[in-house]
């Protein structure tokens, strides 16, 4: 019953808020819509006038000269009017008159001003008379002779008519420009009126908003402010806070939800602390398990053989390398070591293995000096080097070489582990990539643990500590070798 009442209360307040918002917004929308419609109508009229004036001005600039020149050329015979096959292009006065008539008829259909229509009527009448006089001259030209008569008609009729037509076009342009000025003044007045109305409406809206905000502030903002204070205490780590209100509305629901959230988050954080502790313990155990016990046993056996064979100096060297190897592996429980120590760790491992596989193993280590003081998750490179040895070099007939390098790239550090071992085909490479990325299920992971489990573990640890943009990439060609790239940030 209480929850149902809260929902009704919330719906009622929400409806009032929406009503107040629409009371403020609708007048503004109407005002802006009216202003935009008026401005758009003025724009259309203004655009039409500009286009009409521009198109008429084209005839004002060229019609008389083109017509006079064309008729003169026809009369003197340059236009070859009597021979259609040799007639020059653009030497048809009839087409020019028809084009002009059609254009000004179209302009007449677009205007509603009586004075402008009168200008166009007079202009069209002159074009009709000009058409008749042109017909007279063309008839004389086709008949032959009549040169003097045609020249007289050109001077007295054609040029006079084209001058009158040009004057009428200029008058039309002047009347349209005058109407454009009237339209400009109307637009200015309309704009001033719209701005005044907008200011009035804005003042009224501000007054309405102020009135209703004062009315609703105590009912809404004060409980929310109290809840915000509780939230700040909670964000500061105080999990004992709780919020209570005497109001029987949506704030009661918020108070109950807040108190419930505080308790749930407190329980979650306690659980996370326990999980983090367990994860750290599990990670340390996993790091220790990365040290292959067979490597230790085989190394100890090798030391025994060297001792029995009288190679005490070699045995001492291997013991020293093994001691340094495990010292760095343990690192007093620290999860991060310097790159210098990681380099030494890889060198210890390869030196020990070279005593065992001296006939097939060679190596190179090349790290830039400026990266040695940065930090790296320990046991990052050794599992990859181990993988290169056991699944690359040992499976290749003849000797092989492992090259380990480290360099700086912008804000990252990039390590490359290359071997010229047997390499992998596409299927094997894809399976290893899936194993590293965690796409294989647990059963497949267990079955492949001797081929890439250590690399998968390295990838997971790098992703957890540095983010998904860092980690391992693998490239391999069967019969040529494998290249593994490790990217970490400079830390």
């Amino acid at each position: 019953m209480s929850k149902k009442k809260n929902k009704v209360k919330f719906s009622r307040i929400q409806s009032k808020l929406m009503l107040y918002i629409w009371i403020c917004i609708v007048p503004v929308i109407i005002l802006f819509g009216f202003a935009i419609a008026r401005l758009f109508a003025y724009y259309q009229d203004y655009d039409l006038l500009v286009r009409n004036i521009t198109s008429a001005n084209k005839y004002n600039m060229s019609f008389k000269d083109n017509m006079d020149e064309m008729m003169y050329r026809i009369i003197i015979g340059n236009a070859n009017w009597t021979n259609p096959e040799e007639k020059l292009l653009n030497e048809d006065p009839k087409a020019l008159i028809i084009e002009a008539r059609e254009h000004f008829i179209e302009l007449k259909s677009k205007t509603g001003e009586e004075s402008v229509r009168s200008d166009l009527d007079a202009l069209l009448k002159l074009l009709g008379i000009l058409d008749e006089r042109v017909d007279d001259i063309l008839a004389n030209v086709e008949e032959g002779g009549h040169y003097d008569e045609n020249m007289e008609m050109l001077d007295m009729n054609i040029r006079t008519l084209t001058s009158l037509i040009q004057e009428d076009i200029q008058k039309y342009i002047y009347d349209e420009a005058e109407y454009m000025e009237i339209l400009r003044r109307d637009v200015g007045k309309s704009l001033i009126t719209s701005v005044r109305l907008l200011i009035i409406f804005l003042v009224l809206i501000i007054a309405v908003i102020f009135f209703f905000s004062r009315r609703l502030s105590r009912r809404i903002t004060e409980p929310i402010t109290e809840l915000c204070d509780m939230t700040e205490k909670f964000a500061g780590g105080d999990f004992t806070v709780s919020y209570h209100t005497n109001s029987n509305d949506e704030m009661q629901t918020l108070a109950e939800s807040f108190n419930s959230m505080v308790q749930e988050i407190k329980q979650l954080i306690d659980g996370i602390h326990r999980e983090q502790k367990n994860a750290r313990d599990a990670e340390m155990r996993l790091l220790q398990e990365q040290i292959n016990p067979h490597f230790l046993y085989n190394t100890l056996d090798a030391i025994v053989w060297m001792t029995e064979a009288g190679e005490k100096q070699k045995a001492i060297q291997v013991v020293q390398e093994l001691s340094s190897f495990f010292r760095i592996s343990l690192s007093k429980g620290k999860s991060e070591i310097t790159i210098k120590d990681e380099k030494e760790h890889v060198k210890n491992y390869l030196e020990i293995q070279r005593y065992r596989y001296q006939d097939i193993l060679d190596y190179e280590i090349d790290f830039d000096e400026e990266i040695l003081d940065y930090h790296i998750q320990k046991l990052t490179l050794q599992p990859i080097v181990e993988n290169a040895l056991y699944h690359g070099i040992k499976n290749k007939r003849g000797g092989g070489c492992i090259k380990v390098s480290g360099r700086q790239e912008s804000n990252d550090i990039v390590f490359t582990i290359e071997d010229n071992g047997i390499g992998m085909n596409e299927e094997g490479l894809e399976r290893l990539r899936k194993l590293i990325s965690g796409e294989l299920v647990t059963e497949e992971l267990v079955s492949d643990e001797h081929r890439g489990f250590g690399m998968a573990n390295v990838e997971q640890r790098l992703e957890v500590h540095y983010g998904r943009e860092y980690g391992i990439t693998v490239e391999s060609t069967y019969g040529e070798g494998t290249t593994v790239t490790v990217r970490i940030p400079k830390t």
Side-chain angles (χ1 to χ4, degrees), residues 296 298-324 348 351-356 358:
L296 176 60
N298 292 336
T299 303
L300 292 175
D301 288 340
I303 293 172
V304 173
W305 298 335
M306 292 176 187
T307 303
E308 292 177 348
E311 299 178 347
K312 294 182 180 180
Q313 191 59 40
K314 284 187 178 181
I316 292 172
Q317 186 67 31
V318 172
V319 170
Q320 290 175 342
E321 298 285 352
L322 186 63
S323 173
S324 177
N348 294 149
E351 276 295 320
I352 293 170
Q353 295 289 30
R354 190 161 64 170
Y355 281 114
R356 296 180 56 208
Q358 55 186 339

Side-chain angles (χ1 to χ4, degrees), residues 234 237-241 259-274:
F234 172 62
D238 185 359
F239 296 104
T240 63
V241 298
N259 295 333
S260 176
M261 179 191 68
V262 170
Q263 293 301 317
E264 290 181 4
I265 291 179
K266 183 177 184 302
Q267 295 174 3
L268 287 173
I269 290 177
D270 291 341
I272 289 172
H273 287 163
R274 290 193 298 270

Side-chain angles (χ1 to χ4, degrees), residues 12-245:
R12 188 176 302 165
I13 293 176
Q14 187 182 45
S15 299
K16 287 183 178 179
L17 288 173
M18 294 301 297
L19 177 62
Y20 299 152
I21 291 171
W22 282 111
I23 288 174
C24 299
I25 291 177
V26 168
V28 176
I29 293 175
I30 294 173
L31 178 62
F32 273 103
F34 176 75
I36 290 172
R38 287 283 299 275
L39 290 175
F40 183 73
Y42 284 130
Y43 166 76
Q44 287 185 314
D45 293 341
Y46 194 87
D47 182 67
L48 179 61
L49 286 172
V50 171
R51 285 190 280 109
N52 289 348
I53 291 173
T54 302
S55 61
N57 192 56
K58 179 182 69 173
Y59 286 94
N60 177 49
M61 298 294 293
S62 62
F63 181 83
K64 174 177 173 55
D65 293 340
N66 289 344
M67 179 60 69
D68 293 349
E69 178 69 18
M70 197 181 300
M71 293 305 299
Y72 175 77
R73 292 171 61 82
I74 290 173
I75 291 172
I76 66 175
N78 281 355
N80 296 316
W81 181 261
T82 58
N83 188 354
E85 295 181 357
E86 298 180 6
K87 190 185 301 183
L88 295 176
L89 295 176
N90 302 320
E91 295 286 357
D92 189 352
K94 299 286 290 182
L96 183 60
I97 293 171
I98 291 172
E99 180 186 354
R101 182 186 291 116
E102 290 176 349
H103 182 78
F104 287 109
I105 289 174
E106 182 181 358
L107 292 182
K108 180 181 176 182
S109 67
K110 294 179 179 178
T111 183
E113 291 296 314
E114 191 59 36
S115 60
V116 176
R117 293 177 67 87
S118 298
D119 294 340
L120 293 174
D121 286 336
L123 180 59
L124 292 172
K125 187 179 294 185
L126 288 174
L127 285 172
I129 297 172
L130 178 64
D131 188 43
E132 294 174 0
R133 299 291 81 81
V134 168
D135 285 339
D136 294 340
I137 294 176
L138 293 179
N140 289 342
V141 171
E142 292 176 356
E143 182 179 341
H146 304 285
Y147 178 81
D148 294 333
E149 181 183 353
N150 289 339
M151 290 298 293
E152 184 179 358
M153 292 176 66
L154 174 63
D155 292 331
M156 300 300 296
N157 295 332
I158 302 301
R159 287 174 177 164
T160 300
L161 287 169
T162 54
S163 296
L164 292 174
I165 289 171
Q166 188 176 40
E167 291 176 3
D168 279 354
I169 293 174
Q170 292 173 352
K171 189 174 186 306
Y172 164 77
I173 293 173
Y174 175 82
D175 289 340
E176 288 281 52
E178 190 174 30
Y179 180 65
M180 184 185 295
E181 175 62 19
I182 295 172
L183 183 63
R184 186 193 66 78
R185 290 197 294 267
D186 290 342
V187 171
K189 292 178 181 178
S190 177
L191 182 61
I192 292 173
T193 302
S194 298
V195 169
R196 288 174 178 171
L197 289 174
L198 180 60
I199 292 173
I200 293 172
F201 271 102
L202 287 176
V203 170
L204 291 175
I205 289 170
I206 291 172
V208 171
I209 292 174
F210 178 79
F211 173 78
F212 287 119
S213 63
R214 293 272 297 178
R215 185 177 178 180
L216 293 174
S217 62
R218 291 185 179 179
R219 186 174 182 180
I220 296 177
T221 59
E222 290 181 1
I224 292 177
T225 301
E226 294 177 5
L227 184 58
C228 287
D229 293 338
M230 294 294 177
T231 304
E232 289 180 359
K233 292 180 180 179
F234 172 62
D238 185 359
F239 296 104
T240 63
V241 298
S242 61
Y243 177 64
H244 301 283
T245 178

